mmCIF file of all heavy atoms in Angstrom:
data_model
loop_
_atom_site.group_PDB
_atom_site.id
_atom_site.type_symbol
_atom_site.label_atom_id
_atom_site.label_comp_id
_atom_site.label_asym_id
_atom_site.label_seq_id
_atom_site.Cartn_x
_atom_site.Cartn_y
_atom_site.Cartn_z
ATOM 1 N N ASN W 1 111.031 94.667 83.408
ATOM 2 C CA ASN W 1 111.077 96.011 82.945
ATOM 3 C C ASN W 1 112.549 96.334 82.501
ATOM 4 O O ASN W 1 113.457 95.929 83.217
ATOM 5 C CB ASN W 1 110.637 97.059 84.028
ATOM 6 C CG ASN W 1 110.147 98.296 83.442
ATOM 7 O OD1 ASN W 1 110.232 98.567 82.249
ATOM 8 N ND2 ASN W 1 109.575 99.186 84.287
ATOM 9 N N GLY W 2 112.723 96.964 81.353
ATOM 10 C CA GLY W 2 114.042 97.324 80.948
ATOM 11 C C GLY W 2 114.532 96.481 79.796
ATOM 12 O O GLY W 2 113.821 95.517 79.345
ATOM 13 N N ALA W 3 115.801 96.725 79.426
ATOM 14 C CA ALA W 3 116.418 96.091 78.287
ATOM 15 C C ALA W 3 117.035 94.773 78.726
ATOM 16 O O ALA W 3 117.212 94.478 79.901
ATOM 17 C CB ALA W 3 117.457 96.949 77.569
ATOM 18 N N GLU W 4 117.385 93.940 77.727
ATOM 19 C CA GLU W 4 118.073 92.630 78.033
ATOM 20 C C GLU W 4 119.500 92.738 78.426
ATOM 21 O O GLU W 4 120.070 91.824 79.050
ATOM 22 C CB GLU W 4 118.026 91.698 76.795
ATOM 23 C CG GLU W 4 116.563 91.322 76.449
ATOM 24 C CD GLU W 4 116.553 90.355 75.200
ATOM 25 O OE1 GLU W 4 117.639 90.079 74.682
ATOM 26 O OE2 GLU W 4 115.421 90.011 74.811
ATOM 27 N N LYS W 5 120.139 93.879 78.211
ATOM 28 C CA LYS W 5 121.483 94.192 78.621
ATOM 29 C C LYS W 5 121.507 95.602 79.205
ATOM 30 O O LYS W 5 120.748 96.487 78.751
ATOM 31 C CB LYS W 5 122.486 94.062 77.472
ATOM 32 C CG LYS W 5 122.570 92.668 76.893
ATOM 33 C CD LYS W 5 123.696 92.610 75.832
ATOM 34 C CE LYS W 5 123.868 91.191 75.288
ATOM 35 N NZ LYS W 5 124.949 91.116 74.225
ATOM 36 N N GLY W 6 122.453 95.866 80.117
ATOM 37 C CA GLY W 6 122.485 97.192 80.683
ATOM 38 C C GLY W 6 123.551 97.283 81.796
ATOM 39 O O GLY W 6 124.344 96.378 82.029
ATOM 40 N N LYS W 7 123.453 98.462 82.509
ATOM 41 C CA LYS W 7 124.364 98.669 83.596
ATOM 42 C C LYS W 7 124.075 97.961 84.872
ATOM 43 O O LYS W 7 124.907 97.361 85.507
ATOM 44 C CB LYS W 7 124.360 100.222 83.888
ATOM 45 C CG LYS W 7 124.828 101.121 82.778
ATOM 46 C CD LYS W 7 126.379 101.061 82.624
ATOM 47 C CE LYS W 7 126.841 102.111 81.629
ATOM 48 N NZ LYS W 7 128.282 102.070 81.417
ATOM 49 N N ILE W 8 122.759 98.015 85.220
ATOM 50 C CA ILE W 8 122.364 97.366 86.527
ATOM 51 C C ILE W 8 121.149 96.467 86.295
ATOM 52 O O ILE W 8 120.175 96.908 85.652
ATOM 53 C CB ILE W 8 122.066 98.437 87.617
ATOM 54 C CG1 ILE W 8 123.370 99.125 87.994
ATOM 55 C CG2 ILE W 8 121.439 97.775 88.798
ATOM 56 C CD1 ILE W 8 123.183 100.180 89.131
ATOM 57 N N LEU W 9 121.217 95.290 86.856
ATOM 58 C CA LEU W 9 120.086 94.415 86.930
ATOM 59 C C LEU W 9 119.616 94.350 88.369
ATOM 60 O O LEU W 9 120.401 93.988 89.250
ATOM 61 C CB LEU W 9 120.429 92.980 86.432
ATOM 62 C CG LEU W 9 119.229 91.957 86.581
ATOM 63 C CD1 LEU W 9 118.101 92.294 85.626
ATOM 64 C CD2 LEU W 9 119.793 90.555 86.284
ATOM 65 N N VAL W 10 118.371 94.698 88.619
ATOM 66 C CA VAL W 10 117.797 94.676 89.982
ATOM 67 C C VAL W 10 117.033 93.356 90.038
ATOM 68 O O VAL W 10 116.088 93.094 89.295
ATOM 69 C CB VAL W 10 116.896 95.829 90.297
ATOM 70 C CG1 VAL W 10 116.390 95.790 91.750
ATOM 71 C CG2 VAL W 10 117.573 97.161 90.066
ATOM 72 N N ILE W 11 117.422 92.378 90.950
ATOM 73 C CA ILE W 11 116.747 91.144 91.152
ATOM 74 C C ILE W 11 115.971 91.185 92.425
ATOM 75 O O ILE W 11 116.502 91.488 93.443
ATOM 76 C CB ILE W 11 117.709 89.936 91.195
ATOM 77 C CG1 ILE W 11 118.621 89.891 89.902
ATOM 78 C CG2 ILE W 11 117.008 88.651 91.440
ATOM 79 C CD1 ILE W 11 119.610 88.789 89.935
ATOM 80 N N GLY W 12 114.617 90.942 92.326
ATOM 81 C CA GLY W 12 113.801 90.980 93.474
ATOM 82 C C GLY W 12 113.004 89.718 93.624
ATOM 83 O O GLY W 12 112.977 88.852 92.698
ATOM 84 N N TRP W 13 112.437 89.502 94.779
ATOM 85 C CA TRP W 13 111.491 88.392 94.984
ATOM 86 C C TRP W 13 110.414 88.827 95.980
ATOM 87 O O TRP W 13 110.660 89.750 96.796
ATOM 88 C CB TRP W 13 112.241 87.102 95.476
ATOM 89 C CG TRP W 13 112.761 87.207 96.859
ATOM 90 C CD1 TRP W 13 113.980 87.765 97.204
ATOM 91 C CD2 TRP W 13 112.214 86.702 98.062
ATOM 92 N NE1 TRP W 13 114.198 87.669 98.582
ATOM 93 C CE2 TRP W 13 113.138 86.981 99.173
ATOM 94 C CE3 TRP W 13 111.074 85.981 98.357
ATOM 95 C CZ2 TRP W 13 112.923 86.633 100.425
ATOM 96 C CZ3 TRP W 13 110.828 85.602 99.646
ATOM 97 C CH2 TRP W 13 111.763 85.900 100.704
ATOM 98 N N GLY W 14 109.220 88.260 95.906
ATOM 99 C CA GLY W 14 108.217 88.549 96.958
ATOM 100 C C GLY W 14 107.762 89.949 96.854
ATOM 101 O O GLY W 14 107.649 90.598 95.815
ATOM 102 N N SER W 15 107.391 90.482 98.040
ATOM 103 C CA SER W 15 106.647 91.773 98.165
ATOM 104 C C SER W 15 107.432 93.011 97.831
ATOM 105 O O SER W 15 106.897 94.097 97.789
ATOM 106 C CB SER W 15 106.070 91.892 99.570
ATOM 107 O OG SER W 15 107.156 92.008 100.493
ATOM 108 N N THR W 16 108.774 92.844 97.467
ATOM 109 C CA THR W 16 109.501 94.060 96.990
ATOM 110 C C THR W 16 109.100 94.434 95.593
ATOM 111 O O THR W 16 109.574 95.401 95.072
ATOM 112 C CB THR W 16 110.989 93.706 97.087
ATOM 113 O OG1 THR W 16 111.279 92.580 96.262
ATOM 114 C CG2 THR W 16 111.476 93.536 98.496
ATOM 115 N N TYR W 17 108.257 93.658 94.917
ATOM 116 C CA TYR W 17 107.971 93.809 93.500
ATOM 117 C C TYR W 17 107.494 95.283 93.191
ATOM 118 O O TYR W 17 108.014 95.868 92.287
ATOM 119 C CB TYR W 17 106.877 92.865 93.066
ATOM 120 C CG TYR W 17 106.423 93.039 91.642
ATOM 121 C CD1 TYR W 17 107.186 92.579 90.576
ATOM 122 C CD2 TYR W 17 105.216 93.637 91.355
ATOM 123 C CE1 TYR W 17 106.738 92.794 89.268
ATOM 124 C CE2 TYR W 17 104.806 93.828 90.038
ATOM 125 C CZ TYR W 17 105.549 93.398 89.024
ATOM 126 O OH TYR W 17 105.205 93.573 87.735
ATOM 127 N N GLY W 18 106.443 95.718 93.893
ATOM 128 C CA GLY W 18 105.893 97.054 93.590
ATOM 129 C C GLY W 18 106.908 98.163 93.675
ATOM 130 O O GLY W 18 106.936 99.030 92.728
ATOM 131 N N ALA W 19 107.684 98.137 94.776
ATOM 132 C CA ALA W 19 108.705 99.255 94.873
ATOM 133 C C ALA W 19 109.778 99.162 93.837
ATOM 134 O O ALA W 19 110.155 100.235 93.333
ATOM 135 C CB ALA W 19 109.236 99.188 96.318
ATOM 136 N N ILE W 20 110.283 97.929 93.567
ATOM 137 C CA ILE W 20 111.289 97.809 92.518
ATOM 138 C C ILE W 20 110.748 98.209 91.153
ATOM 139 O O ILE W 20 111.421 98.945 90.433
ATOM 140 C CB ILE W 20 111.826 96.427 92.533
ATOM 141 C CG1 ILE W 20 112.525 96.038 93.854
ATOM 142 C CG2 ILE W 20 112.885 96.257 91.364
ATOM 143 C CD1 ILE W 20 112.989 94.567 93.946
ATOM 144 N N LYS W 21 109.544 97.746 90.855
ATOM 145 C CA LYS W 21 109.021 98.020 89.506
ATOM 146 C C LYS W 21 108.804 99.543 89.387
ATOM 147 O O LYS W 21 109.180 100.086 88.300
ATOM 148 C CB LYS W 21 107.673 97.317 89.369
ATOM 149 C CG LYS W 21 107.023 97.519 87.986
ATOM 150 C CD LYS W 21 105.725 96.736 87.838
ATOM 151 C CE LYS W 21 105.156 96.810 86.425
ATOM 152 N NZ LYS W 21 105.972 96.116 85.426
ATOM 153 N N SER W 22 108.303 100.232 90.367
ATOM 154 C CA SER W 22 108.079 101.645 90.305
ATOM 155 C C SER W 22 109.381 102.409 90.108
ATOM 156 O O SER W 22 109.486 103.375 89.367
ATOM 157 C CB SER W 22 107.274 102.122 91.543
ATOM 158 O OG SER W 22 106.058 101.483 91.629
ATOM 159 N N ALA W 23 110.386 101.984 90.947
ATOM 160 C CA ALA W 23 111.715 102.703 90.921
ATOM 161 C C ALA W 23 112.384 102.506 89.550
ATOM 162 O O ALA W 23 112.859 103.475 88.992
ATOM 163 C CB ALA W 23 112.568 102.199 92.040
ATOM 164 N N VAL W 24 112.435 101.267 89.104
ATOM 165 C CA VAL W 24 113.091 100.991 87.788
ATOM 166 C C VAL W 24 112.379 101.728 86.662
ATOM 167 O O VAL W 24 112.998 102.248 85.784
ATOM 168 C CB VAL W 24 113.197 99.466 87.548
ATOM 169 C CG1 VAL W 24 113.620 99.184 86.127
ATOM 170 C CG2 VAL W 24 114.101 98.807 88.560
ATOM 171 N N ALA W 25 111.074 101.728 86.627
ATOM 172 C CA ALA W 25 110.292 102.384 85.602
ATOM 173 C C ALA W 25 110.646 103.924 85.554
ATOM 174 O O ALA W 25 110.848 104.464 84.493
ATOM 175 C CB ALA W 25 108.843 102.265 85.821
ATOM 176 N N GLU W 26 110.758 104.491 86.737
ATOM 177 C CA GLU W 26 111.067 105.961 86.847
ATOM 178 C C GLU W 26 112.496 106.166 86.319
ATOM 179 O O GLU W 26 112.758 107.160 85.527
ATOM 180 C CB GLU W 26 110.967 106.439 88.290
ATOM 181 C CG GLU W 26 111.241 107.911 88.472
ATOM 182 C CD GLU W 26 111.037 108.297 89.930
ATOM 183 O OE1 GLU W 26 109.889 108.164 90.404
ATOM 184 O OE2 GLU W 26 111.986 108.769 90.559
ATOM 185 N N LEU W 27 113.429 105.325 86.648
ATOM 186 C CA LEU W 27 114.863 105.552 86.194
ATOM 187 C C LEU W 27 115.040 105.268 84.704
ATOM 188 O O LEU W 27 115.793 105.958 84.063
ATOM 189 C CB LEU W 27 115.785 104.619 86.975
ATOM 190 C CG LEU W 27 115.886 104.869 88.486
ATOM 191 C CD1 LEU W 27 116.576 103.759 89.220
ATOM 192 C CD2 LEU W 27 116.655 106.221 88.682
ATOM 193 N N ILE W 28 114.293 104.337 84.169
ATOM 194 C CA ILE W 28 114.318 104.107 82.743
ATOM 195 C C ILE W 28 113.793 105.348 82.003
ATOM 196 O O ILE W 28 114.369 105.727 80.992
ATOM 197 C CB ILE W 28 113.500 102.845 82.315
ATOM 198 C CG1 ILE W 28 114.187 101.546 82.837
ATOM 199 C CG2 ILE W 28 113.259 102.810 80.886
ATOM 200 C CD1 ILE W 28 113.312 100.301 82.655
ATOM 201 N N LYS W 29 112.720 105.986 82.502
ATOM 202 C CA LYS W 29 112.248 107.201 81.894
ATOM 203 C C LYS W 29 113.320 108.320 81.972
ATOM 204 O O LYS W 29 113.373 109.139 81.043
ATOM 205 C CB LYS W 29 110.976 107.696 82.660
ATOM 206 C CG LYS W 29 109.756 107.017 82.279
ATOM 207 C CD LYS W 29 108.546 107.599 82.983
ATOM 208 C CE LYS W 29 107.239 106.845 82.617
ATOM 209 N NZ LYS W 29 106.047 107.378 83.322
ATOM 210 N N GLU W 30 114.132 108.260 82.957
ATOM 211 C CA GLU W 30 115.189 109.292 83.072
ATOM 212 C C GLU W 30 116.442 108.967 82.271
ATOM 213 O O GLU W 30 117.389 109.697 82.267
ATOM 214 C CB GLU W 30 115.570 109.495 84.547
ATOM 215 C CG GLU W 30 114.476 110.048 85.400
ATOM 216 C CD GLU W 30 114.883 110.140 86.913
ATOM 217 O OE1 GLU W 30 116.048 110.069 87.147
ATOM 218 O OE2 GLU W 30 113.944 110.330 87.757
ATOM 219 N N GLY W 31 116.427 107.787 81.584
ATOM 220 C CA GLY W 31 117.458 107.457 80.674
ATOM 221 C C GLY W 31 118.537 106.490 81.229
ATOM 222 O O GLY W 31 119.515 106.284 80.609
ATOM 223 N N TYR W 32 118.332 105.941 82.416
ATOM 224 C CA TYR W 32 119.259 105.043 82.991
ATOM 225 C C TYR W 32 119.141 103.630 82.453
ATOM 226 O O TYR W 32 118.031 103.171 82.185
ATOM 227 C CB TYR W 32 119.092 104.963 84.519
ATOM 228 C CG TYR W 32 119.437 106.269 85.222
ATOM 229 C CD1 TYR W 32 118.504 107.211 85.616
ATOM 230 C CD2 TYR W 32 120.797 106.652 85.532
ATOM 231 C CE1 TYR W 32 118.769 108.391 86.259
ATOM 232 C CE2 TYR W 32 121.117 107.773 86.188
ATOM 233 C CZ TYR W 32 120.088 108.666 86.572
ATOM 234 O OH TYR W 32 120.482 109.825 87.185
ATOM 235 N N ALA W 33 120.320 102.913 82.327
ATOM 236 C CA ALA W 33 120.277 101.572 81.784
ATOM 237 C C ALA W 33 120.111 100.549 82.896
ATOM 238 O O ALA W 33 120.987 99.847 83.310
ATOM 239 C CB ALA W 33 121.634 101.321 81.035
ATOM 240 N N VAL W 34 118.873 100.502 83.351
ATOM 241 C CA VAL W 34 118.512 99.677 84.502
ATOM 242 C C VAL W 34 117.378 98.707 84.083
ATOM 243 O O VAL W 34 116.582 99.061 83.263
ATOM 244 C CB VAL W 34 117.992 100.487 85.669
ATOM 245 C CG1 VAL W 34 117.689 99.605 86.874
ATOM 246 C CG2 VAL W 34 119.001 101.569 86.027
ATOM 247 N N SER W 35 117.464 97.452 84.573
ATOM 248 C CA SER W 35 116.453 96.471 84.270
ATOM 249 C C SER W 35 116.030 95.750 85.601
ATOM 250 O O SER W 35 116.713 95.786 86.623
ATOM 251 C CB SER W 35 116.877 95.453 83.182
ATOM 252 O OG SER W 35 117.171 96.082 81.999
ATOM 253 N N HIS W 36 114.844 95.116 85.506
ATOM 254 C CA HIS W 36 114.281 94.473 86.688
ATOM 255 C C HIS W 36 113.854 93.081 86.393
ATOM 256 O O HIS W 36 113.101 92.839 85.386
ATOM 257 C CB HIS W 36 113.082 95.330 87.207
ATOM 258 C CG HIS W 36 112.290 94.732 88.257
ATOM 259 N ND1 HIS W 36 110.901 94.886 88.433
ATOM 260 C CD2 HIS W 36 112.582 93.728 89.272
ATOM 261 C CE1 HIS W 36 110.391 94.281 89.435
ATOM 262 N NE2 HIS W 36 111.435 93.540 89.908
ATOM 263 N N VAL W 37 114.299 92.143 87.223
ATOM 264 C CA VAL W 37 113.855 90.760 87.144
ATOM 265 C C VAL W 37 113.284 90.358 88.511
ATOM 266 O O VAL W 37 113.865 90.718 89.564
ATOM 267 C CB VAL W 37 115.109 89.769 86.851
ATOM 268 C CG1 VAL W 37 114.837 88.403 87.389
ATOM 269 C CG2 VAL W 37 115.369 89.733 85.395
ATOM 270 N N HIS W 38 112.082 89.755 88.468
ATOM 271 C CA HIS W 38 111.421 89.399 89.671
ATOM 272 C C HIS W 38 111.200 87.872 89.708
ATOM 273 O O HIS W 38 110.565 87.394 88.796
ATOM 274 C CB HIS W 38 110.136 90.108 89.950
ATOM 275 C CG HIS W 38 109.897 90.472 91.359
ATOM 276 N ND1 HIS W 38 110.564 91.522 92.024
ATOM 277 C CD2 HIS W 38 109.162 89.855 92.353
ATOM 278 C CE1 HIS W 38 110.233 91.590 93.274
ATOM 279 N NE2 HIS W 38 109.329 90.568 93.510
ATOM 280 N N LEU W 39 111.626 87.166 90.748
ATOM 281 C CA LEU W 39 111.627 85.761 90.785
ATOM 282 C C LEU W 39 110.296 85.172 91.412
ATOM 283 O O LEU W 39 109.951 85.567 92.496
ATOM 284 C CB LEU W 39 112.818 85.219 91.554
ATOM 285 C CG LEU W 39 114.238 85.644 91.060
ATOM 286 C CD1 LEU W 39 115.295 85.082 92.006
ATOM 287 C CD2 LEU W 39 114.441 85.148 89.630
ATOM 288 N N ARG W 40 109.682 84.281 90.748
ATOM 289 C CA ARG W 40 108.574 83.513 91.307
ATOM 290 C C ARG W 40 109.187 82.188 91.728
ATOM 291 O O ARG W 40 108.889 81.689 92.846
ATOM 292 C CB ARG W 40 107.468 83.263 90.333
ATOM 293 C CG ARG W 40 106.487 82.169 90.734
ATOM 294 C CD ARG W 40 105.295 82.095 89.897
ATOM 295 N NE ARG W 40 104.418 83.216 90.147
ATOM 296 C CZ ARG W 40 103.248 83.489 89.456
ATOM 297 N NH1 ARG W 40 102.888 82.628 88.570
ATOM 298 N NH2 ARG W 40 102.518 84.493 89.769
ATOM 299 N N TYR W 41 110.018 81.581 90.923
ATOM 300 C CA TYR W 41 110.654 80.272 91.224
ATOM 301 C C TYR W 41 112.029 80.535 91.813
ATOM 302 O O TYR W 41 112.941 80.965 91.117
ATOM 303 C CB TYR W 41 110.769 79.429 89.909
ATOM 304 C CG TYR W 41 109.469 79.258 89.204
ATOM 305 C CD1 TYR W 41 109.031 80.183 88.157
ATOM 306 C CD2 TYR W 41 108.598 78.275 89.552
ATOM 307 C CE1 TYR W 41 107.906 80.014 87.523
ATOM 308 C CE2 TYR W 41 107.365 78.071 88.881
ATOM 309 C CZ TYR W 41 107.043 78.973 87.863
ATOM 310 O OH TYR W 41 105.855 78.832 87.256
ATOM 311 N N ILE W 42 112.231 80.175 93.112
ATOM 312 C CA ILE W 42 113.448 80.394 93.781
ATOM 313 C C ILE W 42 114.192 79.109 93.933
ATOM 314 O O ILE W 42 115.437 79.060 94.045
ATOM 315 C CB ILE W 42 113.152 81.069 95.136
ATOM 316 C CG1 ILE W 42 112.440 82.425 94.957
ATOM 317 C CG2 ILE W 42 114.491 81.334 95.939
ATOM 318 C CD1 ILE W 42 112.112 83.095 96.198
ATOM 319 N N ARG W 43 113.472 77.975 93.967
ATOM 320 C CA ARG W 43 114.165 76.655 93.922
ATOM 321 C C ARG W 43 113.243 75.738 93.134
ATOM 322 O O ARG W 43 112.184 75.495 93.638
ATOM 323 C CB ARG W 43 114.433 76.080 95.294
ATOM 324 C CG ARG W 43 115.309 74.883 95.285
ATOM 325 C CD ARG W 43 115.742 74.513 96.631
ATOM 326 N NE ARG W 43 116.847 73.558 96.581
ATOM 327 C CZ ARG W 43 117.514 73.087 97.591
ATOM 328 N NH1 ARG W 43 117.143 73.454 98.838
ATOM 329 N NH2 ARG W 43 118.530 72.223 97.450
ATOM 330 N N PRO W 44 113.666 75.266 91.959
ATOM 331 C CA PRO W 44 114.922 75.682 91.275
ATOM 332 C C PRO W 44 114.717 77.013 90.601
ATOM 333 O O PRO W 44 113.566 77.368 90.313
ATOM 334 C CB PRO W 44 115.152 74.538 90.271
ATOM 335 C CG PRO W 44 113.716 74.117 89.969
ATOM 336 C CD PRO W 44 112.976 74.216 91.264
ATOM 337 N N PHE W 45 115.816 77.684 90.272
ATOM 338 C CA PHE W 45 115.716 78.923 89.483
ATOM 339 C C PHE W 45 115.334 78.588 87.990
ATOM 340 O O PHE W 45 115.706 77.423 87.576
ATOM 341 C CB PHE W 45 117.065 79.666 89.459
ATOM 342 C CG PHE W 45 117.435 80.300 90.801
ATOM 343 C CD1 PHE W 45 118.645 79.989 91.394
ATOM 344 C CD2 PHE W 45 116.583 81.174 91.365
ATOM 345 C CE1 PHE W 45 118.971 80.657 92.575
ATOM 346 C CE2 PHE W 45 116.941 81.874 92.602
ATOM 347 C CZ PHE W 45 118.163 81.522 93.224
#
């Protein structure tokens, strides 16, 4: 979620997905330059 460049990148893994996705989506609607990356592959990246 979010643009390829911005102020903050939120990196998550595992069960934090829903909370991060919901929070970032809300902040993007409010105009903040925030993006979200969620990792499935942790080794190797």
Side-chain angles (χ1 to χ4, degrees):
N1 205 353
E4 294 182 359
K5 294 185 178 182
K7 297 284 186 183
I8 293 182
L9 176 67
V10 185
I11 301 178
W13 68 280
S15 63
T16 57
Y17 175 77
I20 297 174
K21 185 177 182 70
S22 302
V24 169
E26 182 175 299
L27 291 170
I28 289 172
K29 280 184 181 178
E30 294 177 16
Y32 293 99
V34 182
S35 297
H36 170 207
V37 154
H38 216 78
L39 302 178
R40 168 171 287 177
Y41 304 94
I42 302 178
R43 189 169 197 178
F45 289 126

